[in-house]
Amino acid sequence: MTNEESPNLSSFDDESLNKAFAALEQQARDDASSLDSPDAVEAFRLRWTGRKQGRLNDVSSRWLKAAPSEARKSVGERFKTLKDLVEGLLEQAAGSGPTDATLAAEAIDITLPGTRRLTGAEHPITRTLNEIVSVFAALGYSVGVGPEVETDYYNFESMNFPPGHPARDTQDTLVIANQEKRGLRERLLLRTHTSPVQMRTMERQPPPVRIVIPGKVHRNDAADATHSPIFHQVEGLCVDTNITFSDLKGTLDHAMKALFGSAVKTRFFPSFFPFTEPSADVQISCIFCGGKGCRKCKNSGWIELLGCGMVDPAVFAFAAEKQPAYDPKKISGFAFGMGVERIAMMKYGISEIGQFYAGDMRFLGQFA
Ligand code: PHE
């Protein structure tokens, strides 16, 4: 829009002013008489009250400000009247409002349902992992973590798997490529269990230690209904003076009852791990049949759930290289490790481990 200017005023006596303002008022009325659409109202608004090019602004800057001081009051009063008139006209025009047809076209049906956002929920693995951790946290255990890409030393050697020891073969290891230039101890691999964090913890702090270590582990296993090359474990380590196998049994019996219900019984079977001596597999009474025998427990009434044992003195000897207080003559301890997927599958009656990783909302939604 071009700037529409009112003529400059040459005299400021009442008569001249009345005439000049009357002409403007007439113009405003004429303009307002033909406002038949929202666009026209908007054009009127801009033309008269626009900040830069509006006529009111023009009058204010050229008549009001140019007025000699004795005429300023009378110009101001008339300007105010004009301004009120324009605003009144504008209000009237806007008030007459859009037509029913325009309204109908723009209407929103507020009775339509809104967009519903899905509520987030913990993944069943995270949930089970947190639940296991909190059982031990309530017993005074702290929580630790360690790297998933681990050295041969922490994953194997310091856990008392000597180089070339056949027990290494029981944990089908995924190794990182191009490590041949490094010494065996420094070679990188994907940790096959959370046990290396036992050593990392002991190297950092002298006894006593009570810690649980949740985390992801990797094995070169073919995927099937119950195996996945990536899964989760919760490791436990307790080291202090006079820790005995009874402490281990009591702790794990309590933990299994806390996780699966107080009716659950536990039993310990001799087993082997290089880093514990003696070692045991823990079985719980079948939570599906209560121990009577069913398909899930292969009619034995028992289900094997985790590995554990008393920390092998050879492991303490590795820890003592950095922390001499790990003297097996003065301290003792136990360790355990459990698979999170396996526990989650039992708790929630899931028969395919792959369900955890498929990202199928029909499955995951059941945990929301
Ligand atoms: N690290 C063992 C495994 O992955 C489990 C375990 C941990 C056993 C601690 C005993 C003590 O099979």
Side-chain angles (χ1 to χ4, degrees):
M1 187 189 285
T2 53
N3 210 340
E4 291 173 285
E5 291 190 356
S6 305
N8 282 333
L9 284 183
S10 44
S11 46
F12 287 87
D13 57 275
D14 279 353
E15 204 193 317
S16 311
L17 288 179
N18 282 346
K19 228 175 114 189
F21 275 97
L24 274 176
E25 284 174 15
Q26 190 51 50
Q27 240 175 64
R29 285 208 172 82
D30 289 350
D31 269 7
S33 65
S34 55
L35 300 181
D36 51 1
S37 72
D39 284 350
V41 174
E42 178 60 11
F44 177 86
R45 194 185 64 75
L46 277 175
R47 178 160 187 234
W48 284 90
T49 67
R51 270 185 192 232
K52 282 198 187 133
Q53 308 191 324
R55 304 209 63 181
L56 287 179
N57 190 50
D58 179 50
V59 168
S60 148
S61 61
R62 287 182 325 102
W63 290 4
L64 194 55
K65 289 197 185 117
S69 54
E70 65 275 12
R72 192 153 297 162
K73 186 162 176 246
S74 40
V75 178
E77 278 166 4
R78 287 174 175 80
F79 177 72
K80 171 87 170 63
T81 311
L82 173 67
K83 188 166 176 248
D84 288 348
L85 171 75
V86 168
E87 278 167 2
L89 290 168
L90 199 57
E91 219 164 276
Q92 247 176 35
S96 63
T99 63
D100 284 353
T102 331
L103 270 184
E106 288 174 1
I108 302 167
D109 183 352
I110 60 165
T111 65
L112 284 173
T115 316
R116 192 173 294 213
R117 287 172 197 277
L118 292 176
T119 320
E122 269 179 337
H123 188 278
I125 293 299
T126 314
R127 179 151 140 187
T128 307
L129 194 144
N130 287 340
E131 206 175 316
I132 298 168
V133 165
S134 59
V135 166
F136 288 96
L139 295 176
Y141 282 63
S142 54
V143 183
V145 288
E148 270 174 61
V149 177
E150 192 47 287
T151 61
D152 184 280
Y153 178 72
Y154 284 111
N155 195 78
F156 287 127
E157 193 175 339
S158 73
M159 286 288 106
N160 200 31
F161 296 76
H165 194 281
R168 286 175 173 235
D169 299 344
T170 63
Q171 306 203 346
D172 298 283
T173 311
L174 291 159
V175 298
I176 306 286
N178 304 321
Q179 300 286 302
E180 294 75 14
K181 279 203 232 59
R182 299 189 151 152
L184 179 63
R185 282 187 162 197
E186 278 74 50
R187 287 188 198 165
L188 298 175
L189 44 79
L190 297 180
R191 70 178 177 192
T192 56
H193 51 177
T194 40
S195 301
V197 193
Q198 288 187 31
M199 187 56 58
R200 289 183 175 275
T201 305
M202 290 191 280
E203 286 184 350
R204 268 206 324 271
Q205 66 172 94
V209 169
R210 281 173 181 77
I211 193 167
V212 275
I213 302 138
K216 201 181 278 179
V217 301
H218 306 251
R219 291 193 195 177
N220 187 18
D221 272 341
D224 64 21
T226 56
H227 291 84
S228 157
I230 304 175
F231 59 104
H232 299 77
Q233 291 187 330
V234 176
E235 188 85 12
L237 175 68
C238 168
V239 184
D240 207 334
T241 49
N242 299 317
I243 298 291
T244 67
F245 201 89
S246 310
D247 297 316
L248 170 59
K249 285 184 78 171
T251 302
L252 290 182
D253 185 71
H254 164 80
M256 293 305 116
K257 286 180 163 65
L259 287 173
F260 292 104
S262 55
V264 149
K265 296 192 197 67
T266 53
R267 66 178 188 182
F268 290 68
F269 261 60
S271 184
F272 173 78
F273 300 100
F275 38 92
T276 47
E277 181 60 33
S279 303
D281 283 330
V282 182
Q283 301 179 350
I284 63 169
S285 53
C286 179
I287 57 167
F288 301 105
C289 64
K292 285 199 232 31
C294 66
R295 264 178 50 201
K296 301 255 186 187
C297 59
K298 302 197 185 84
N299 277 315
S300 71
W302 295 90
I303 290 179
E304 197 176 300
L305 212 54
L306 69 149
C308 66
M310 302 305 290
V311 178
D312 195 298
V315 173
F316 283 141
F318 280 108
E321 290 177 15
K322 296 240 167 89
Q323 292 279 359
Y326 288 97
D327 176 353
K329 289 196 199 69
K330 295 190 180 132
I331 47 104
S332 55
F334 63 74
F336 55 85
M338 57 189 98
V340 179
E341 277 79 352
R342 187 163 161 72
I343 291 176
M345 287 169 84
M346 296 208 25
K347 278 180 76 86
Y348 300 115
I350 296 161
S351 50
E352 286 276 340
I353 198 171
Q355 299 262 270
F356 289 129
Y357 317 116
D360 185 337
M361 292 303 284
R362 291 169 301 181
F363 171 76
L364 295 172
Q366 297 176 60
F367 299 91

